[in-house]
Amino acid sequence: MIPKATVDLILDTAQVVDVIGDFVSLKKRGASYIACCPFHNEKTPSFIVTPAKGIYKCFGCGKSGTAVGFIMEHESLTYPEALKWLAKRYNIEVQEKEESAEEIAARQHGESLYLVSEFAAKFFAGSLDKDGGVGYQYLRSRGLEDETIRRFGLGWSPADRTALLTAAKAEGFKEEYLVDAGLCIRREDGSVYDRFAERVIFPIYSATGRVIAFGGRTLRTDKSVAKYVNSPETAIYEKNKALYGISLAKNAISKADRCILVEGNVDVVSMHQLGLSNVVASCGTSLTANQVDFIHRFTDNVTIMYDADAAGVHGALRGMELVLAAGMNVKAVLLPEGEDPDSYSRKVTREEFEEYIRTHEQDLVDYVTDMVLGDNSSDPLKKAEVLNQIADLISLMPDRIKRQTYIESAAKRFGVEQDLLSERSRATREKRIIDEQKRRERENSQRQAQEPATPAGGEVAAPAENPRPRRGVTPMPFASELTDRELASSELALLDFMLNNGLDELMFSPDSEFRPTDGGSITVAEFIDNSLAGDSMDFVNEIYAKVYDTYFELFDQGLDQQKIQTRLLNSEDPQIAAVARELLIDKYALTVENYVKSLTKTETILVINVPRAMMIYQSKRVEKEIAEKTRALASPDAGNVEELLADISRLSAIKVMLKNRLGHV
């Protein structure tokens, strides 16, 4: 763990123009810099870097962020890895917190597995012409060129079942590392032998290009021998997170804004050789949610290109479920009969393959209909099965508008009422939410049961002193639906004032109703916070509440506005960073209203609009509370009717008061 002081030093030192300038040719334009975006193909520059705020934004593909965010995106690094990258660039020493003996041992063990895996990859590549060169001949027979073989590190494991073991031990590697890395297997009698002997080798790389595992294909036709053998899970390799080809595909996926998923390693290699580099495959297992989440770091769009057999169709449908549940867009492509991505890529040009994908992509409605219903369009039971399956897939989409659009499409294709599909989709979605809540409750109960009880007479450690009450915000999945869209715009408007002008003083006139009673000064952030606290209100939308809390944690540390902005933009929490980017990156949109504002002093704008924004929010909250009380009053099991009526009357008076005050601001 990097100490907070070091993180702050890195964030304060890193200059966005310097960092991005290492990868992109920037041209100065006024107070900003401009370039062609490194994340997608474009001829007219739309990538803007604003050094004053330490941020970048592409107005073509929409990507934006800070120096840390750029390194994370461009180099596919985690937040800590990006910080270390920047520290190295600026010669900042990173001394992480003191590790325990167990942590040191685990880190050293993991590094040993990386080193022995990298040695094995070189050994396999150097053995490609061994045993008569059958491995090399096989790869060439599949149409793979020498440069492609080198680029993917393809190799051969000799038939001698101790060849790798002997070579590795000669280089000083211990047997235990070879076994722990999955390269060798230990028999019951204690002897060790190579796992991948006499197989063509496909190294599996992490996103940063380190060898983490291997896949081996036999060339023997003996059915008693497994056709494919893959590395087991190890300390450096988790199958459900790894993607074959990701280290070479990540930048292409970002630029194309689309990832193509195929089934086999050779499919990936052949398509890359053709020039289609935004292609990956799951590693010897079915597609997983973790793999989809990893792809989501680079794009929102996935095209599934699996075989048309029963297993391929099942895999494609499962893949669709995972992609849709992640809030991404998915399509599927069926290649011509008898073809797979490998064979087809050897028969057509890149342009022809791209055109085929473009003209044969199917959305979930068409794909499920063609694959599941097929020629049974007159079978009412089969038709009902397909409609239910489509509705269940639609229910996975987090975005309500997308759900409605697909429901309309399916209803039109099958000639059924939209309400039927909507009801099925809604019921499936509600059941899934309830099941997920129950699962979390079970996990929480199990976790609490496993926590050690406080010793008799012992004391529970007091929480760190915090001058502000915490909301206990639970992080939402990134890009998920807002809890209350009606209040979202008002909450975002208040955050906008806080993030841009939070430490600016509100210069109320002496007779203003908003002036503090003691006649003292008050900042924008303090005014908003005091107003919410006075009404005992917290933000309803959790993601905005989280940004609000984080802002005041930094505010309470005494940081200036620019440093608060920098910390929010560089937050390790992607939700906080995304909201900060949305509010702090200039939109470059000139409207009449903006023009008028540009002629007005900032302090005048704040004095008028901050109280107004707060009252609009208060008014919306009051209206929602009135609606809730009214519904409760109409309920057959309503409680104290007189109390409800009194509450509605009181709230209505507040609503009128707020409306009148808004009319005078």
Side-chain angles (χ1 to χ4, degrees):
M1 181 178 177
I2 305 175
K4 183 179 181 302
T6 305
V7 173
D8 292 345
L9 177 60
I10 294 170
L11 297 180
D12 292 339
T13 303
Q15 299 298 310
V16 70
V17 173
D18 295 344
V19 173
I20 296 178
D22 289 342
F23 301 89
V24 178
S25 178
L26 296 171
K27 295 182 179 179
K28 193 162 178 34
R29 178 174 293 180
S32 300
Y33 291 80
I34 191 168
C36 286
C37 180
F39 302 117
H40 79 288
N41 294 315
E42 64 177 6
K43 295 181 180 179
T44 303
S46 61
F47 185 83
I48 308 295
V49 180
T50 309
K53 289 187 176 180
I55 52 183
Y56 70 87
K57 166 107 177 154
C58 177
F59 291 88
C61 66
K63 292 188 183 297
S64 61
T66 61
V68 177
F70 181 88
I71 294 302
M72 290 174 65
E73 184 80 34
H74 196 276
E75 299 299 291
S76 300
L77 301 178
T78 63
Y79 184 79
E81 290 170 343
L83 288 174
K84 292 176 183 177
W85 190 100
L86 290 168
K88 185 176 181 181
R89 187 196 186 284
Y90 287 96
N91 297 315
I92 297 173
E93 184 179 359
V94 176
Q95 292 184 340
E96 301 192 45
K97 73 174 181 67
E98 185 176 348
E99 297 175 297
S100 65
E102 293 79 7
E103 289 172 332
I104 292 173
R107 176 173 54 78
Q108 291 176 340
H109 182 257
E111 187 59 33
S112 297
L113 299 191
Y114 279 121
L115 292 174
V116 75
S117 297
E118 288 164 0
F119 169 81
K122 292 177 182 177
F123 173 81
F124 292 141
S127 301
L128 198 56
D129 60 352
K130 300 286 180 67
D131 297 342
V134 292
Y136 177 74
Q137 292 170 21
Y138 166 77
L139 294 174
R140 291 293 292 171
S141 73
R142 297 298 296 263
L144 300 182
E145 301 169 358
D146 288 348
E147 174 56 26
T148 302
I149 293 172
R150 183 202 63 75
R151 189 165 175 244
F152 280 86
L154 307 183
W156 172 258
S157 181
D160 179 356
R161 299 191 70 80
T162 59
L164 172 62
L165 174 65
T166 302
K169 289 175 70 174
E171 289 296 317
F173 291 103
K174 297 179 180 179
E175 276 187 7
E176 63 182 278
Y177 295 144
L178 290 159
V179 173
D180 290 350
L183 291 161
C184 292
I185 299 173
R186 191 182 299 279
R187 297 185 179 95
E188 290 185 3
D189 62 6
S191 61
V192 176
Y193 64 96
D194 295 353
R195 180 184 297 273
F196 298 103
E198 202 174 3
R199 290 178 181 272
V200 175
I201 300 298
F202 294 82
I204 299 170
Y205 297 87
S206 69
T208 55
R210 299 201 75 176
V211 181
I212 55 176
F214 299 88
R217 186 195 192 284
T218 185
L219 301 183
R220 295 168 58 183
T221 57
D222 183 356
K223 292 186 178 179
S224 65
V225 178
K227 187 175 182 180
Y228 293 100
V229 170
N230 298 303
S231 293
E233 295 219 345
T234 68
I236 62 173
Y237 175 55
E238 294 180 74
K239 285 184 180 181
N240 69 353
K241 293 182 179 179
L243 288 162
Y244 183 74
I246 189 62
S247 62
L248 298 174
K250 59 186 181 183
N251 290 337
I253 292 171
S254 292
K255 286 192 175 182
D257 195 21
R258 179 169 297 278
C259 176
I260 299 176
L261 272 172
V262 295
E263 293 185 277
N265 294 355
V266 177
D267 293 331
V268 173
V269 177
S270 296
M271 291 185 71
H272 275 249
Q273 179 172 277
L274 187 64
L276 297 172
S277 301
N278 58 325
V279 183
V280 296
S282 52
C283 291
T285 182
S286 299
L287 188 67
T288 68
N290 284 328
Q291 291 167 337
V292 171
D293 288 342
F294 194 77
I295 293 171
H296 204 176
R297 291 172 56 179
F298 309 103
T299 183
D300 288 327
N301 305 298
V302 173
T303 295
I304 298 175
M305 193 183 295
Y306 289 177
D307 294 343
D309 57 17
V313 172
H314 177 76
L317 291 174
R318 172 60 180 159
M320 281 187 164
E321 291 179 3
L322 295 171
V323 175
L324 292 172
M328 300 164 70
N329 308 313
V330 64
K331 291 190 176 182
V333 174
L334 285 176
L335 292 174
E337 188 174 354
E339 300 287 359
D340 57 33
D342 168 41
S343 63
Y344 195 60
S345 67
R346 287 185 271 128
K347 295 179 181 178
V348 298
T349 64
R350 170 182 174 175
E351 291 73 20
E352 289 171 336
F353 207 143
E354 288 177 330
E355 177 64 16
Y356 184 89
I357 294 173
R358 189 185 66 79
T359 55
H360 289 77
E361 280 183 321
Q362 293 180 300
D363 64 20
L364 69 92
V365 174
D366 292 336
Y367 183 80
V368 174
T369 302
D370 290 348
M371 291 295 99
V372 181
L373 185 60
D375 298 327
N376 300 308
S377 57
S378 60
D379 184 340
L381 293 178
K382 197 68 176 177
K383 183 177 178 180
E385 176 189 339
V386 170
L387 280 169
N388 283 333
Q389 192 166 357
I390 289 173
D392 291 346
L393 283 170
I394 292 172
S395 73
L396 293 163
M397 299 178 180
D399 188 274
R400 190 189 311 173
I401 295 176
K402 283 185 182 178
R403 292 200 301 269
Q404 184 58 38
T405 301
Y406 275 93
I407 285 172
E408 291 173 1
S409 174
K412 183 177 180 181
R413 170 151 187 174
F414 283 86
V416 299
E417 294 293 333
Q418 292 183 27
D419 289 348
L420 294 175
L421 290 174
S422 294
E423 180 57 34
R424 168 77 183 207
S425 179
R426 181 166 51 251
T428 304
R429 186 172 178 81
E430 289 174 354
K431 182 179 183 302
R432 186 180 300 108
I433 292 172
I434 292 172
D435 289 345
E436 177 64 16
Q437 290 174 339
K438 289 180 179 177
R439 184 188 66 79
R440 290 180 179 176
E441 289 171 0
R442 285 196 302 271
E443 289 181 352
N444 288 335
S445 298
Q446 292 170 358
R447 192 180 301 113
Q448 291 172 2
Q450 293 171 358
E451 289 178 354
T454 304
E459 294 183 0
V460 178
E465 184 180 349
N466 189 341
R468 301 185 49 73
R470 300 295 298 138
R471 290 172 170 73
V473 176
T474 301
M476 293 165 52
F478 185 64
S480 63
E481 293 178 327
L482 293 166
T483 308
D484 191 321
R485 290 183 177 274
E486 190 177 344
L487 294 174
S489 59
S490 290
E491 291 178 347
L492 196 61
L494 293 173
L495 285 177
D496 196 347
F497 283 120
M498 287 170 52
L499 268 61
N500 282 287
N501 305 96
L503 297 188
D504 289 358
E505 187 177 339
L506 287 170
M507 308 295 289
F508 292 121
S509 61
D511 59 345
S512 172
E513 60 179 305
F514 302 112
R515 191 181 186 193
T517 54
D518 61 2
S521 62
I522 188 169
T523 64
V524 169
E526 290 169 334
F527 178 86
I528 293 172
D529 191 51
N530 291 347
S531 299
L532 290 175
D535 290 332
S536 300
M537 288 194 299
D538 292 334
F539 277 9
V540 171
N541 290 286
E542 295 182 0
I543 183 173
Y544 297 155
K546 182 162 52 174
V547 177
Y548 184 98
D549 282 345
T550 305
Y551 177 94
F552 276 104
E553 288 174 7
L554 300 169
F555 177 95
D556 292 335
Q557 292 174 23
L559 299 182
D560 61 38
Q561 189 72 9
Q562 186 172 2
K563 285 193 174 181
I564 291 176
Q565 293 173 345
T566 300
R567 299 293 185 272
L568 293 172
L569 286 165
N570 287 296
S571 174
E572 187 173 5
D573 188 316
Q575 292 181 327
I576 294 174
V579 174
R581 289 198 303 270
E582 177 66 24
L583 297 178
L584 293 173
I585 294 177
D586 295 331
K587 305 299 186 295
Y588 295 96
L590 184 63
T591 64
V592 172
E593 182 182 2
N594 289 337
Y595 179 71
V596 171
K597 286 182 179 179
S598 70
L599 302 179
T600 309
K601 289 184 177 181
T602 301
E603 50 264 35
T604 303
I605 295 173
L606 295 176
V607 163
I608 295 173
N609 289 306
V610 172
R612 181 176 180 82
M614 176 52 67
M615 286 190 291
I616 289 173
Y617 183 61
Q618 291 168 326
S619 181
K620 287 183 178 181
R621 293 289 294 263
V622 168
E623 288 176 358
K624 290 183 74 69
E625 195 170 351
I626 290 173
E628 290 171 4
K629 299 286 185 184
T630 303
R631 283 194 296 271
L633 188 63
S635 174
D637 55 349
N640 190 324
V641 174
E642 290 77 11
E643 185 177 332
L644 285 171
L645 287 171
D647 287 342
I648 292 172
S649 177
R650 175 181 56 80
L651 291 168
S652 297
I654 295 174
K655 177 182 174 182
V656 171
M657 180 269 293
L658 287 170
K659 185 176 181 181
N660 289 335
R661 292 173 70 188
L662 278 167
H664 291 113
V665 176

